Amino acid sequence: MAVGITVFVLVLLVWASPQLIERIQKRTRLSRLTKALDADLDSVLAILARQLRAGHDLGRALSEAEASYDGMVLEELKHWSRERKVTLSLGQVLMQRGERLGMEPLKIAGATLLVRDKLGGPLAATLEELARSLRDTRSLRMKIEAASATHRMQASMLSILIPLLSAGAIALSPGATEAVFFSTAGQVLLGLCGCLLLIGHCWVRSLCRVD
């Protein structure tokens, strides 16, 4: 029965592997994009503010910002330019992209610019304040992440220590652990323990993660 379950699981994995690979690639690209934007969003807004202060319109400011970046950030800025030609509002573009990418800084920037569109006021000054606020927030988050690095390391060491202790017990008394590895109940128990260990590791690390 165990062999049949193993074969069924392998066939299921082979059948689902293309969809899984595609989802993993999409999530990886999305994660890289959000990290790149999170690191450069304040400087992008600062460039836009400087170009507006110099007397350029928003379209020219976006073009100048595109010239300052490459890779994924450049692709995102080009997307902003295309979307802005349709919506004619940078705030709407940032709000939509923030919701699509799940980025709170983009949502905040978009909401701020939408409020500015309704109330009026200089766009350059609003962008400068947004850039300063995002820069301060990112600096604070980096300090908190550095402070919590010790706890993340302790969680990782604890997750490694349990398998090492188990391996030591097996090496010292192989006969006592034979039933665990060569019986169906023992294999199920090992699988359950492994799942619980992984869940506990992820849970402890999530407690130390800074969003």
Side-chain angles (χ1 to χ4, degrees):
M1 182 177 178
V3 176
I5 294 175
T6 304
V7 172
F8 173 75
V9 172
L10 290 176
V11 171
L12 184 62
L13 288 175
V14 171
W15 175 77
S17 58
Q19 294 87 349
L20 290 175
I21 293 174
E22 183 179 357
R23 289 183 180 180
I24 291 173
Q25 290 177 342
K26 187 179 296 185
R27 289 179 64 89
T28 302
R29 187 181 184 282
L30 182 62
S31 177
R32 290 174 57 194
L33 175 59
T34 53
K35 287 182 180 179
L37 276 179
D38 184 63
D40 293 328
L41 182 58
D42 58 316
S43 58
V44 169
L45 297 180
I47 291 174
L48 295 179
R50 285 198 301 269
Q51 294 299 319
L52 292 174
R53 292 284 191 191
H56 301 305
D57 62 7
L58 187 54
R60 174 68 182 276
L62 284 169
S63 299
E64 292 295 331
E66 291 174 12
S68 303
Y69 294 93
D70 56 9
M72 305 187 80
V73 177
L74 175 59
E75 294 178 7
E76 181 66 17
L77 291 175
K78 289 181 177 179
H79 185 83
W80 291 7
S81 298
R82 292 193 298 267
E83 288 291 324
R84 181 184 164 273
K85 292 178 182 178
V86 178
T87 62
L88 300 178
S89 172
L90 182 60
Q92 292 178 358
V93 173
L94 297 186
M95 178 66 75
Q96 292 174 1
R97 292 301 291 170
E99 292 176 352
R100 193 172 304 171
L101 298 175
M103 282 190 63
E104 288 300 324
L106 271 181
K107 294 180 186 178
I108 294 172
T112 303
L113 292 178
L114 288 176
V115 172
R116 176 262 166 197
D117 291 340
K118 293 181 179 178
L119 300 180
L123 179 58
T126 304
L127 290 173
E128 287 173 347
E129 288 299 325
L130 276 172
R132 187 179 299 109
S133 175
L134 291 174
R135 191 178 301 114
D136 293 342
T137 301
R138 183 160 56 90
S139 176
L140 178 61
R141 186 171 69 247
M142 291 176 63
K143 291 179 181 178
I144 296 175
E145 287 177 351
S148 63
T150 303
H151 302 289
R152 292 197 300 270
M153 184 181 299
Q154 291 174 350
S156 300
M157 292 178 62
L158 181 61
S159 300
I160 296 173
L161 182 61
I162 295 176
L164 288 178
L165 290 176
S166 302
I170 294 171
L172 292 175
S173 181
T177 57
E178 181 177 355
V180 177
F181 289 97
F182 297 102
S183 65
T184 303
Q187 292 171 358
V188 171
L189 181 61
L190 283 177
L192 180 61
C193 291
C195 291
L196 292 176
L197 180 62
L198 180 61
I199 292 172
H201 172 74
C202 295
W203 177 66
V204 173
R205 285 188 65 87
S206 68
L207 295 178
C208 302
R209 187 175 64 241
V210 180
D211 295 325

